[in-house]
Amino acid sequence: MWVADRNQESAEAVVEEIIAAGGTAVGVGVDATDVDALKALFGRIDAEHGVLHAVHYQVGIPAAAGLEVGEADWQLAMDVNMKSAFYSATLGFDLLEKARGKGSVTLTSTAAAIIGSGRSPLYSMTKGALLPLARSLAVIGGKRGIRVNVVAPGMVETPMLSSFFPGAEGKDTSELMKGFRDTVPLGRGAQAREIGDVIAFLNSDDASYVTGVTIPVDGGATIV
């Protein structure tokens, strides 16, 4: 397993957890908006293994809020939320094809790509682009034995959650979070493990006939 993160130390921390659980992994520092860096990563995997069975894409930023968005912020959201998804998925296709019918790509979008974000239309637009991207890649990939799917999480209880509340980073967001929880039929945010379990399913043989779909993992937020 290869763990890529913009921060090398973060990648290595995940590798340590994998090794502690009995697995093996390599951690690398990669900026997912840097196409040359992505090409180099897939080149290393090709040179050392010659095949790739699954690519999981987990990249994104909340994006600037409101309707008055500067061009620099607009371009940043495009690069991080869209450009990185396209190249992270497609640059590995040749290696995934070598898995002989067992290649899989999972892309992480958001429930806000389905129901829309009242805070940031830019966020909904850029993460929403992953849904038709996956459908198109599923059509192309099907002929090469590659499945492509999307997970669309709702509110997930992680340190990054506070970044979705402007000016709330590092502050107590319990009341703001409660407002979100009240809109979720299951009445709570997700744990990261609950998102990971769906990703693991989509990349497993249990999902061998599932491709081109988006699965909301949101406690029912998209149905109300």
Side-chain angles (χ1 to χ4, degrees), residues 62-159:
L67 302 180
E68 297 182 7
V69 178
E71 289 188 38
D73 287 335
W74 188 92
Q75 189 61 55
L76 177 63
M78 294 291 163
D79 288 345
V80 175
N81 291 347
M82 291 175 57
K83 175 184 175 182
S84 67
F86 180 86
Y87 286 105
S88 294
T90 59
L91 288 176
F93 255 47
D94 287 346
L95 277 172
L96 288 165
E97 187 173 9
K98 294 179 181 179
R100 298 183 178 181
K102 292 183 178 292
S104 173
V105 177
T106 47
L107 305 172
T108 300
S109 181
T110 170
I114 300 171
I115 58 178
S117 168
R119 173 188 172 274
S120 175
L122 179 60
Y123 179 63
S124 285
M125 179 178 74
T126 53
K127 297 299 283 187
L130 273 59
L131 280 60
L133 171 63
R135 291 194 294 269
S136 293
L137 293 181
V139 172
I140 296 170
K143 300 176 179 63
R144 302 173 66 175
I146 303 168
R147 298 181 298 104
V148 185
N149 294 292
V150 178
V151 292
M155 181 176 69
V156 185
E157 303 279 4
T158 72

Side-chain angles (χ1 to χ4, degrees), residues 1-3 11-26:
M1 180 181 293
W2 291 71
V3 179
E12 291 175 353
V14 174
V15 167
E16 290 178 4
E17 293 183 14
I18 293 171
I19 293 174
T24 59
V26 177

